[in-house]
Amino acid sequence: MRKLAVLVAIIAAQAAAARTVWIDTDVSIGSPIREVDDAYALLLTFHSPEIRIAGISTTYGNTSLRYTTRVARDIITRFGGTASLKANQVFAGADSARARGQQNAASEALAFALRKEKLTYVALGPLTNLATLLQLHPELADRIERVAFLGGHEPGNRLAFGPSRSFHIHDANVFKDPVAVEMVLRSRIPLTLLPIETSGRLQVDANDLNELSRSGPAGEFLAQRSRVWLWFWTKFMKTDGGPIFDALAVVSVTRPDLLTMKTRSGCAAFTCVSVER
C-alpha cells in the first residue's frame, strides 16, 4: 500500500507540474500532396507528459479551414485518447486573414480557457486566431504565458532548400497574415520564434518512416501519409529527408533542454527568442 501511495503521489505531482497549452493548427496531412508536419506536432503533443492540452483551434494556412478542422477532428478521434482529448475540443477559427477580429468558435473557446487558467499558446499556422483573441478580449493577453510560433527568419536571408539552395519558399505563417504577427509582437506576450531555417533541419527519412510504421497505429498513420511528402522533398528538392517543421514548436515547449536558444537583441518592447539549432 505504501508503494502504491508513493506512486499515486508521483503521478499527481507530475500532473500538477504539467504545462497547460493551447494548440493552433492548420493541419493538412493526406492526399494529394499535403504538408504533414502539423500532424507530427499534434501526435507528439498527445504523447508528451510534460504538457496538458486545454484545447485545439484550427485555422487556414496549408489549406481551407473546413479541411483543417476535419483532419484535426479525425486525428483526435483516432489518437487523442492518450491525451484525454475528444473531437469536440477542436474549435474552428478564422478562414482567412480577412476574418481577423471576427468572433468565432476558436476565439470564444480560447477566451473561456484563459479565464480558467494561464496557457502557453503553440501556433503552428498564421497568427490570425490569436490576433482575433487580442482584439476581442485584450484583457486576457496577460493570461498567455508564452507563444511558441513556427515562423520568422533572419532579415535579408532567403529561405532556400536543397544542396544548391535553389528552391525558395516564403515564411508562410508570417506572409499570410503579417498584421496578426505585428499585433502579437506589440502585445508584449513572451514569444519563442522557431525560424524556418532551423525547423527545416528537423527531417524524417525512409528509415524513420519504416521505424514509425512498426511502432503502432499512430506511427503507421504518419508513415503511410508521409511517403509522398518524403518523395517530393528528396526527389525534387534533393534534401536528405522531408522536413517536419511544426514538430520543433512542440519540442520547444515540452523539451526545451534539447535546444539551444538565444535571446535576440534589438527586439525593443517584446521578448524575442529564436532557436539556434
Side-chain angles (χ1 to χ4, degrees):
M1 289 294 294
R2 180 176 172 78
K3 289 183 178 180
L4 178 60
V6 171
L7 178 61
V8 170
I10 292 172
I11 293 173
Q14 289 176 335
R19 182 187 300 272
T20 306
V21 304
W22 185 278
I23 311 292
D24 187 65
T25 178
D26 55 348
V27 59
S28 63
I29 192 170
S31 182
I33 296 176
R34 300 284 188 185
E35 295 187 46
V36 303
D37 52 330
D38 286 76
Y40 279 82
L42 287 174
L43 286 166
L44 183 57
T45 64
F46 299 167
H47 293 84
S48 296
E50 302 89 352
I51 60 175
R52 184 181 69 81
I53 303 170
I56 295 172
S57 53
T58 54
T59 187
Y60 68 99
N62 290 332
T63 184
S64 69
L65 177 68
R66 177 177 295 182
Y67 191 92
T68 63
T69 304
R70 179 170 65 82
V71 173
R73 287 174 177 160
D74 177 58
I75 290 176
I76 274 72
T77 299
R78 290 172 183 257
F79 308 114
T82 58
S84 301
L85 289 172
K86 296 182 179 180
N88 62 5
Q89 289 172 273
V90 176
F91 304 94
D95 61 3
S96 70
R98 294 187 299 275
R100 186 187 334 104
Q102 298 176 15
Q103 180 176 305
N104 53 50
S107 66
E108 298 316 292
L110 177 56
F112 180 80
L114 286 168
R115 292 188 181 103
K116 291 173 59 179
E117 60 186 324
K118 292 188 175 183
L119 303 172
T120 293
Y121 189 94
V122 182
L124 307 179
L127 287 173
T128 310
N129 285 338
L130 181 53
T132 296
L133 175 92
L134 295 175
Q135 281 187 266
L136 298 178
H137 305 284
E139 74 283 0
L140 296 176
D142 63 358
R143 303 286 291 171
I144 301 175
E145 295 180 321
R146 178 166 294 277
V147 174
F149 176 47
L150 200 290
H153 65 280
E154 293 283 355
N157 283 1
R158 299 184 69 185
L159 300 177
F161 290 86
S164 62
R165 311 288 290 173
S166 58
F167 179 60
H168 298 275
I169 65 173
H170 57 249
D171 192 349
N173 292 341
V174 174
F175 177 80
K176 290 177 180 177
D177 195 349
V179 173
V181 176
E182 182 178 1
M183 290 176 62
V184 173
L185 293 177
R186 291 183 180 278
S187 73
R188 299 177 182 266
I189 299 170
L191 176 67
T192 299
L193 293 177
L194 289 305
I196 303 301
E197 300 101 321
T198 302
S199 58
R201 299 175 196 163
L202 186 60
Q203 301 178 356
V204 291
D205 59 20
N207 290 331
D208 295 321
L209 296 189
N210 290 336
E211 187 173 345
L212 274 172
S213 66
R214 296 190 295 267
S215 67
E220 185 178 7
F221 174 89
L222 290 175
Q224 288 181 349
R225 290 159 178 78
S226 298
R227 296 197 184 279
V228 174
W229 179 252
L230 176 62
W231 170 81
F232 171 78
W233 279 91
T234 56
K235 178 72 173 179
F236 292 98
M237 302 303 109
K238 306 300 182 182
T239 57
D240 295 327
I244 48 173
F245 306 98
D246 289 321
L248 193 64
V250 175
V251 174
S252 75
V253 174
T254 60
R255 291 295 307 276
D257 56 297
L258 297 178
L259 305 173
T260 299
M261 299 189 184
K262 183 177 180 181
T263 301
R264 296 295 187 182
S265 60
C267 291
F270 54 86
T271 302
C272 181
V273 181
S274 66
V275 178
E276 291 291 291
R277 66 176 185 272

